[in-house]
Amino acid sequence: MGFMKPRLLPVDAGTYRALPRRDRLEALTRHWVEHGFGSPAAVYLFYVVKCALYVGGAALVISLTPGLGPVTEVASWWSEPIVYQKLIVFTLLWEVTGLGCGSGPLSSRFLPPIGSALYWLRPGTVRLPPWPGKVPFTRGDRRTLADVLLYAAVLACGVWLLGRPGSSGDGGLLDPMAAVPLIVTVAVLGLRDKTVFLAARGEQYWLSLLVFFFPYGDMLIGFELIMLAIWWGAATSKLNHHFPFVVATMMSNAPLVPNRLKPLFYRDHPRDLRPSRLSFLLAHVGTATEYLVPLYLVFLGDGGPWTWAALLYMVVFHLHILSTIPMGVPLEWNLFFVFSLFFLFGAHGDLTVWDLNSPWLLAVILPSLVLLPLLGNLRPDLVSFLPAMRYYAGNWATSAWLFTGDALDRLGSGLTTSARLAPHQMVTLYDADTALLLAAKAEGWRSMHSHGRALNGLVERVTQDQDGVTVVEGELIAGFAIGWNFGEGHLHDDQLLRAVQARCAFAPGEVRVICLEGQPLHRQTQSYEIHDAALGLLESGHVAVRDMLTRQPWPTDGADYPVYDVRSARPAAEPRPLDSTS
C-alpha cells in the first residue's frame, strides 16, 4: 500500500470477473479481515486534514464573536456558553453542506469528495419527502427552484446566526430569537426532503437549537440530557446479536491496529469469519461504557476528581472510535463529543441535572429523546436509525440493487446528479481494473455484518444463480442518486426506486431491489421486501436473526436461505429470475 495505491485482492480483474459471486464474496471477506477497505495513505491524510479544518474553522469563526478574543487566545474563552452555542450551529452547517458524515472516499465519494450541497443547490435532483401523502405541499420527488432556495436559506440563516454577537460584552448568550429562522427553514426543508434533515443531524443539532430558549443553567442541562440520550440510545441499540459483527468489521478497517492482530477478532480466520470472543468482549465493554459512565457524569458528577476520571475515560472512548475511521466517517461528530465532554462536564461540571428549574425543558426535548427512539426500536420501519438513536450497532435497514443488461448505465444517464456512480469516479484516479476491485470492497464490507449474510441469501433467492446480474450496494445508489448516504437504508428503498423508475422507465426484470429492514427490539426476525422497478412489490417475508449468526459472509452450502411468512404479490410463489421478460 502506497500514498495513492490501495491494497486490493491479490487477483487480476479478469480472474475476479470470471468467479461466481459466492467465490468473489469469499475472497473479498477473507481479504477484509486483515486489510479492511485497503485505503491508501492519501485517504487517511484527507480525513486528518478535514478534521483539522473542522476544528480550526470552528475556532476561527467563533473567535470573531465580539468580546471573546482572538483565536490565538482560545484558552481564555473556550468555556464561554456562547462558544458551545456557536459550535452547535457551525457543526450543523458543516454537516448539512456535506463536509461531515458521509463524505470522502470511505463513503465512496472520490471526485467530488462531497455530494449534499452540490445536489441540493441543483434543481431537478431527487428529493425524498418523509410523508408526501400526509403533509401538504410535499408531494413529488423532483427538486424545484423553491427547494433550492429553501436550502440556500438554511445556509444563509446558519451563517447569519454564527455572526451574531452575544448578549453582553464578554460573549454572553445568543438571542434565542435569532435561531428561529434556522429552526424553521431546517424543519420546513426536512418536510420536503428527509435526506437534508438527516444530513444536518437534526436529532442532535436541530434539537439543541430549541434549547437556546431556556436560561443559562437549564440550557446547559438540556445539552447534557441530549448527550445522555445519544449515549443511552446507542447502548440500547447494541443489545442485540449484531454488534459483535460490527466490532470485528470495524477493527479490521482500523489503520492503527497491526494487520497481524486483526484475525484475533474472528473465530478461526480464514475458515470461520464469525466474531470471536474478543469481539464479543469489546462489544459488551462498549455497551456498558455508554450506559454507566454517562449515568455518573449526568446524575452523580460534581466536577471533582471522579468526574474528571469519567470524563477522560469517555474522551478516550470517542478517540478510539475516531481512530478506527469507521465507514460513514462520523469523525467530526466524535470530535464534537470530545469537546462537549470537556465543556459540559469539565468547565461546567459543578452544574448537575438536579439543578434543573424549568420542567418545560423536559416537555420540549423528551419526546425526541425518549418517545421517538422507543418507537424507532419497536417499529424501525417508521423511524430512521438516526432520530431513533440506533447508532453503529449493526442493526440498520439495508438494500441491494440488482441490474441486468444496460440498466445500470441507463441509471447513470437517467438521473440529474452532480457526481457519477462510484466506480466511474474511481476510473478518474485509477485504471479500470483497479477501480473494479476497489468498488467491490463495498460488497465485502456489507457481507461481514450479520445482516449482510441475510442480504446475500436473498440475492441468491432472487437471481437463482443467473448470469449477467450486477449487484450494487444500496449505499452507493443513494450516494449517487440523492447526494448523501450514511448507512440509512430508508434512503435507498422502494421510495427511491419509484423516483428512479419515473425517470428511467425500466422494463420488468431490469432492476430489482431487495430491502431488508432492521430488527425490532422485541422480535428476533427482520422483515424484507423484493421490489421490481416496473412491477412494484413482488414478495415480502421475514428472515430470522439466528440464521444470520451461523452463516459465513459467503453462501456455503448451496441450500436456499431460510425465509419465513412469505407473501407473494404475484401468482408465482417464488420471485422469477431477473430478465427482461419476467
Side-chain angles (χ1 to χ4, degrees):
M1 182 177 67
F3 183 72
M4 284 293 295
K5 184 179 180 180
R7 191 184 298 276
L8 302 174
L9 275 175
V11 62
D12 64 88
T15 301
Y16 178 81
R17 289 189 185 94
L19 291 174
R21 185 168 186 271
R22 301 179 189 187
D23 294 343
R24 294 201 302 268
L25 291 175
E26 183 175 357
L28 286 167
T29 51
R30 284 177 169 173
H31 190 264
W32 180 277
V33 169
E34 293 185 348
H35 306 292
F37 198 73
S39 301
V43 168
Y44 299 119
L45 178 61
F46 169 84
Y47 287 111
V48 168
V49 170
K50 192 163 72 74
C51 287
L53 290 174
Y54 168 72
V55 173
L60 178 61
V61 170
I62 294 171
S63 72
L64 300 177
T65 303
L68 286 187
V71 69
T72 54
E73 298 176 8
V74 64
S76 67
W77 51 258
W78 72 272
S79 60
E80 293 294 329
I82 196 172
V83 171
Y84 196 73
Q85 287 183 308
K86 289 203 170 185
L87 181 62
I88 290 170
V89 178
F90 181 88
T91 308
L92 187 154
L93 283 174
W94 186 268
E95 296 288 353
V96 83
T97 53
L99 295 170
C101 302
S103 63
L106 289 181
S107 291
S108 295
R109 298 194 179 282
F110 297 87
L111 293 173
I114 68 168
S116 302
L118 303 181
Y119 280 69
W120 303 334
L121 288 172
R122 182 172 182 175
T125 54
V126 176
R127 65 177 181 87
L128 300 176
W131 304 290
K134 299 179 180 179
V135 178
F137 310 112
T138 64
R139 289 182 181 273
D141 52 39
R142 191 177 300 274
R143 196 173 312 280
T144 66
L145 180 60
D147 295 304
V148 170
L149 293 176
L150 190 55
Y151 176 69
V154 168
L155 302 182
C157 292
V159 171
W160 180 76
L161 185 56
L162 275 179
R164 298 293 297 167
S167 56
S168 63
D170 59 351
L173 294 170
L174 286 171
D175 179 0
M177 294 306 296
V180 171
L182 183 59
I183 292 171
V184 172
T185 51
V186 170
V188 173
L189 184 56
L191 294 174
R192 293 278 299 175
D193 188 355
K194 62 185 178 184
T195 311
V196 181
F197 187 83
L198 295 176
R201 302 304 300 271
E203 84 282 359
Q204 180 176 356
Y205 305 126
W206 183 83
L207 181 63
S208 295
L209 294 177
L210 302 181
V211 180
F212 287 10
F213 286 86
F214 292 89
Y216 160 72
D218 287 355
M219 180 183 68
L220 294 186
I221 293 172
F223 295 149
E224 290 184 3
L225 291 175
I226 292 173
M227 298 279 291
L228 178 68
I230 293 172
W231 277 316
W232 279 7
T236 301
S237 71
K238 295 177 174 65
L239 300 177
N240 58 46
H241 297 289
H242 306 284
F243 187 50
F245 290 80
V246 174
V247 171
T249 305
M250 184 169 65
M251 296 307 291
S252 284
N253 194 50
L256 300 183
V257 177
N259 289 347
R260 67 180 183 277
L261 298 182
K262 292 177 179 179
L264 297 177
F265 297 100
Y266 302 88
R267 292 193 183 185
D268 185 20
H269 173 259
R271 289 169 290 277
D272 188 349
L273 300 192
R274 290 175 295 171
S276 67
R277 291 182 178 179
L278 176 59
S279 293
F280 276 86
L281 174 63
L282 293 177
H284 292 320
V285 170
T287 303
T289 292
E290 290 179 313
Y291 271 132
L292 299 179
V293 183
L295 171 69
Y296 177 82
L297 286 172
V298 174
F299 293 101
L300 302 175
D302 58 2
W306 286 108
T307 299
W308 276 93
L311 183 162
L312 293 174
Y313 180 89
M314 290 304 295
V315 167
V316 172
F317 178 80
H318 280 283
L319 289 178
H320 164 69
I321 297 174
L322 189 149
S323 73
T324 65
I325 319 292
M327 304 294 280
V329 286
L331 306 182
E332 294 87 349
W333 185 67
N334 279 283
L335 290 174
F336 179 88
F337 266 66
V338 169
F339 181 83
S340 298
L341 283 160
F342 283 110
F343 182 91
L344 296 174
F345 304 106
H348 302 278
D350 57 332
L351 186 67
T352 72
V353 70
W354 307 114
D355 297 318
L356 180 66
N357 292 313
S358 175
W360 289 109
L361 173 67
L362 301 180
V364 169
I365 65 176
L366 286 188
S368 294
L369 300 184
V370 177
L371 299 182
L372 200 56
L374 178 62
L375 177 62
N377 275 281
L378 298 178
R379 289 291 305 275
D381 58 311
L382 297 181
V383 184
S384 162
F385 83 94
L386 290 171
M389 298 185 180
R390 295 186 292 110
Y391 301 112
Y392 220 74
N395 182 22
W396 319 291
T398 60
S399 77
W401 287 55
L402 284 60
F403 298 86
T404 61
D406 64 347
L408 184 57
D409 292 331
R410 286 159 50 207
L411 173 72
S413 61
L415 302 185
T416 299
T417 66
S418 295
R420 295 178 292 172
L421 286 161
H424 297 160
Q425 294 181 41
M426 296 177 196
V427 171
T428 62
L429 298 172
Y430 303 105
D431 60 82
D433 289 350
T434 299
L436 170 69
L437 295 174
L438 186 57
K441 285 285 190 173
E443 279 192 272
W445 170 80
R446 178 65 73 190
S447 299
M448 295 297 291
H449 295 84
S450 52
H451 57 254
R453 300 160 198 235
L455 202 58
N456 286 334
L458 292 171
V459 167
E460 291 221 327
R461 176 176 174 81
V462 172
T463 61
Q464 299 175 17
D465 292 327
Q466 179 190 359
D467 293 330
V469 178
T470 301
V471 182
V472 182
E473 160 65 39
E475 287 290 298
L476 303 186
I477 298 296
F480 162 72
I482 61 177
W484 190 76
N485 57 290
F486 187 56
E488 175 48 78
H490 299 143
L491 297 181
H492 42 85
D493 58 7
D494 57 301
Q495 183 184 16
L496 179 58
L497 179 63
R498 290 191 295 272
V500 165
Q501 178 64 5
R503 292 157 173 79
C504 299
F506 293 113
E510 286 191 306
V511 179
R512 291 188 181 180
V513 178
I514 302 169
C515 303
L516 180 64
E517 189 50 76
Q519 178 192 351
L521 186 64
H522 60 301
R523 299 184 185 278
Q524 292 300 312
T525 59
Q526 295 180 232
S527 62
Y528 74 88
E529 293 181 345
I530 301 171
H531 296 265
D532 183 285
L535 303 176
L537 179 64
L538 300 180
E539 178 183 296
S540 62
H542 292 86
V543 291
V545 173
R546 65 173 182 271
D547 293 324
M548 307 176 197
L549 306 180
T550 61
R551 301 270 170 151
Q552 296 303 317
W554 60 89
T556 56
D557 53 15
D560 291 339
Y561 193 87
V563 295
Y564 308 91
D565 306 320
V566 178
R567 296 182 180 181
S568 177
R570 303 186 58 179
E574 299 289 333
R576 298 179 185 174
L578 286 162
D579 58 46
S580 60
T581 59
S582 62

